[in-house]
Amino acid sequence: MEVLKQRSLSNTALQPDEPSHLRELIESRDLLFTWVRREFRVRYSQSVIGGAWAVLQPLALMAIFSLVFGFVLQVPAEGVPYPVFSYVGSLAWTFFASALTFAIPSLVNNMSLVSKIYFPREILPLSAVLVCLADFVIAAALLIPLMLLSGVALRWTIVLLPLIIFIQILLSYGLSLIGAAVNVFFRDVRFVIPLALQVWLYASPVIYPVGAVPESLRAIYFLNPMAVLIDSYRRVILFGQLPDWGWLGFAAVVSIFILILGYRFFKRAENRFADLI
């Protein structure tokens, strides 16, 4: 908070619409890291098990999916134990869903700051995405013992994981910028997000393999970047395969496009935030 006070005093002459927004965001990295630490502490303060909640969410999804889809419905898992198969999908999906859930209302939830102090407002959704990334890393630590206990070997292709995570961050942040800006004008967004995420979950291979999608529909199915990313996670973590570079490249292009579009939309709408919040 001290960093924020210092910036508010030193940047009173900055114009919100000047063309150096990206440089300003980079220069504000100290504020960003301060805000990420604050958000992480606030999220788990007065919590009995603290950061363990980051593990419990994908773990609970894995348990439910394993019971319903793995045991009852006998959904195939492409040769690996279904709990491990579903945990990898749940990890990626929980990161994505949590990032949107926390980042989109971040402006409205910090209305006292947005309406009174000038700082790069895009820091708020970005910090929410980065806190969810920290949760993702914590939850991912459970994956290795889970794989070893299930007899799934570690593969060298796991070194490609940072690339897939980076693309997912671009996608999550781009969508968060659009959603956070629209949420300032239309609070209906907070009701739309849970519904949209539920539909999106079933449109992504979290609980079933990509092989269950008919070959004739595969091209349409992979227009969904999360379908490509979750499939890529499983390829490099569980199967020792390279990602489908063509589709992963497509997902990267879509994510970058959404990020550029979201950032420009956010900065154009930013001037009206203080009046509406």
Side-chain angles (χ1 to χ4, degrees):
M1 294 304 293
E2 186 62 30
V3 174
L4 188 58
K5 291 175 183 175
Q6 292 171 1
R7 286 193 56 79
S8 69
L9 293 173
S10 63
N11 288 325
T12 50
L14 285 176
Q15 296 301 314
D17 56 349
E18 66 182 59
S20 56
H21 295 308
L22 187 57
R23 187 175 67 248
E24 185 184 7
L25 177 61
I26 295 173
E27 291 173 349
S28 303
R29 58 187 178 278
D30 53 344
L31 173 60
L32 173 64
F33 294 142
T34 300
W35 201 258
V36 169
R37 288 195 296 269
R38 174 191 175 277
E39 287 293 298
F40 192 82
R41 283 199 303 268
V42 168
R43 184 176 299 185
Y44 296 114
S45 64
Q46 297 182 323
S47 169
V48 176
I49 60 174
W53 283 111
V55 178
L56 280 182
Q57 192 170 356
L59 200 60
L61 285 178
M62 181 197 75
I64 294 171
F65 291 158
S66 297
L67 176 64
V68 176
F69 298 99
F71 181 72
V72 178
L73 299 179
Q74 297 288 307
V75 172
E78 298 183 332
V80 299
Y82 189 87
V84 182
F85 177 85
S86 63
Y87 190 72
V88 173
S90 299
L91 269 179
W93 181 257
T94 302
F95 175 27
F96 178 69
S98 299
L100 296 190
T101 301
F102 285 104
I104 287 177
S106 59
L107 290 175
V108 175
N109 290 346
N110 293 282
M111 60 179 67
S112 59
L113 289 176
V114 174
S115 60
K116 294 176 182 175
I117 302 172
Y118 177 72
F119 63 98
R121 274 63 179 255
E122 59 269 33
I123 281 179
L124 295 177
L126 179 57
S127 63
V129 173
L130 293 180
V131 171
C132 293
L133 173 63
D135 287 345
F136 173 83
V137 172
I138 294 171
L142 182 64
L143 181 60
I144 293 178
L146 194 61
M147 289 174 63
L148 295 177
L149 288 173
S150 304
V152 180
L154 292 174
R155 317 281 187 167
W156 72 267
T157 48
I158 203 168
V159 300
L160 297 171
L161 206 52
L163 172 64
I164 303 169
I165 295 172
F166 181 67
I167 296 172
Q168 184 170 342
I169 291 173
L170 298 182
L171 176 66
S172 303
Y173 185 41
L175 292 173
S176 298
L177 286 171
I178 297 172
V182 174
N183 189 45
V184 173
F185 300 98
F186 305 100
R187 303 299 165 82
D188 311 68
V189 172
R190 60 183 170 177
F191 301 108
V192 172
I193 292 302
L195 176 62
L197 286 174
Q198 273 193 321
V199 175
W200 204 335
L201 168 68
Y202 291 105
S204 304
V206 179
I207 56 179
Y208 56 84
V210 169
V213 179
E215 188 72 34
S216 58
L217 299 178
R218 204 71 61 83
I220 297 174
Y221 182 75
F222 277 145
L223 294 178
N224 169 12
M226 281 307 296
V228 178
L229 291 172
I230 293 173
D231 180 56
S232 299
Y233 278 113
R234 288 205 177 106
R235 282 173 177 259
V236 302
I237 295 174
L238 299 180
F239 305 125
Q241 300 174 356
L242 295 175
D244 186 319
W245 291 114
W247 282 115
L248 187 61
F250 172 78
V253 170
V254 170
S255 301
I256 292 170
F257 174 76
I258 290 175
L259 177 60
I260 294 173
L261 180 70
Y263 192 75
R264 288 183 173 176
F265 176 71
F266 186 94
K267 298 308 289 185
R268 288 192 178 187
E270 186 180 29
N271 290 338
R272 298 180 60 193
F273 288 167
D275 297 330
L276 293 171
I277 289 180

